Amino acid sequence: MSTPTAVLEGLGTALPPRVVTNAELADRLDTSDEWIRSRTGISERRMVAPGVATSDLAVEAGERALKSANVHEVDLVVVATTTPDHPCPATAPDVASRLGLGPVPAYDMAAVCSGFVYALSGAAGAIASRQAGRVLVIGSETFSSIISPEDRSTAVIFGDGAGAVVLRAGSAGEPGSLLGFDLGSDGALADLIKIPGSGSRQRATGLPPDPDDSWFTMQGRPVFTNAVKRMAGSADALLKRIGWPVDSVDRFVGHQANVRILHAVAEQLGVPADRAVINLDKVGNTSAASIPLAMGAAVADGDLAPGDRVLISAFGGGVTWGSAALVWPDLTAL
Ligand code: COA
């Protein structure tokens, strides 16, 4: 019996209705629409209303993905997030329960902006080892809960949102099958993207927590250069492993961090810039939700069609990175 391969069969997304424009941020921070657009490509992002948490967006996206796949049952739920509802317990069991999925295994994946690719890889492994026949993978973030409203270097970049996919056991020749992964990490660069306080490291100091240390921090310049290097290197390694010539890639769905990062990665790879899917102008960097949100927007815009060869690549805190590849299936994204 051949090893089952994970096949994409459903896609759903959820964005909070509230739009935060660059102009709104420029009203209260020392920044401008021109600076944000020229440095990042972002025009607006979404923000949850008071009272809305990561699991709420995850449930909404998860429901849509299940409906898109026309299924009611899965064997495993994975939620990739940097902003869990609580430090303990994980968010995934609550999401699985609220989706009415029964007593299935459910866990969170913490790889910041690479979280969705890491979660996809774990889910594909569960399918390959026959531990699961169908998996719901969700990337969900409420970055507005960890971004200091006064930090212009992060407040202009990140947004809230969620995206989810359903994977089922199938075979490698089918459209939608995940043909391979390339994952990596470099913990020596952990300080580049970090929430310094609120973990056991802070507690181990024996000092009282500093409230300012609970905000998300990022060293923009080295993150930029490492993101380009690692996304391009990882995507290139994967293309070679699965035997796809670079010019056969129809769509490059990179982590929506910065339009300049996406164009630099495409250029290093040799993928024409117009094959890079871009939706960060409307949603900003939504971390673990960014790749499924970009795929959903591309399907809606007619930029992702059945039969397209799709290359996915992400980079995030840790630092972590990862790539995946599939031939786009015929599905309705909700
Ligand atoms: N508005 C106006 N000025 C800003 C600003 C803002 N929102 N944020 C930073 N600046 C200023 C800086 O203070 C600095 O001023 P100085 O020259 O007087 O010191 C200047 O702009 C340049 O800052 P720098 O950080 O070097 O700019 P940059 O060209 O590297 O762009 C980022 C900053 C954050 C947009 C860019 O580094 C980036 O996109 N990094 C990757 C971020 C990312 O994608 N993270 C997620 C990956 S998982």
XYZ file of all heavy atoms in Angstrom, residues 16 38 72 114 120 132 147 176 226:
62
model
N -11.506 40.590 10.434
C -12.395 41.472 11.181
C -12.792 42.658 10.309
O -11.996 43.097 9.469
C -11.537 41.909 12.380
C -10.139 41.554 12.055
C -10.146 40.533 10.968
N 5.794 53.060 0.869
C 7.036 52.877 0.104
C 7.960 51.849 0.771
O 8.669 51.127 0.084
C 7.757 54.207 -0.099
O 8.133 54.743 1.148
N -17.786 17.603 7.538
C -18.185 17.948 8.907
C -17.281 17.316 9.948
O -17.442 17.577 11.128
C -19.636 17.509 9.161
C -20.595 18.073 8.169
N -21.018 19.381 8.231
C -21.184 17.528 7.076
C -21.830 19.619 7.208
N -21.945 18.507 6.486
N 6.142 31.653 10.291
C 6.272 30.381 9.557
C 5.262 29.359 10.064
O 5.265 28.209 9.592
C 7.669 29.777 9.744
O 8.664 30.713 9.514
N 1.191 22.941 8.348
C 0.870 22.129 7.165
C 1.759 20.884 7.113
O 1.284 19.777 6.821
C 1.165 22.917 5.884
C 0.131 23.792 5.232
C 0.669 24.262 3.884
C -1.210 23.105 5.079
N -4.099 10.335 10.757
C -5.281 11.145 10.434
C -5.612 10.988 8.957
O -4.710 10.918 8.115
C -5.006 12.616 10.746
N 0.951 44.192 19.983
C 1.687 45.325 19.405
C 1.463 46.564 20.276
O 0.310 46.929 20.532
C 1.188 45.618 17.965
C 1.501 44.460 17.023
C 1.751 46.932 17.449
C 2.959 44.264 16.728
N -3.803 19.394 -5.846
C -3.974 19.704 -4.427
C -3.006 18.963 -3.538
O -2.874 19.296 -2.348
N 17.502 38.482 6.549
C 17.394 37.037 6.807
C 16.158 36.438 6.143
O 16.184 35.287 5.697
C 17.384 36.753 8.310
C 18.789 36.728 8.870
O 19.509 35.747 8.707
N 19.201 37.821 9.483
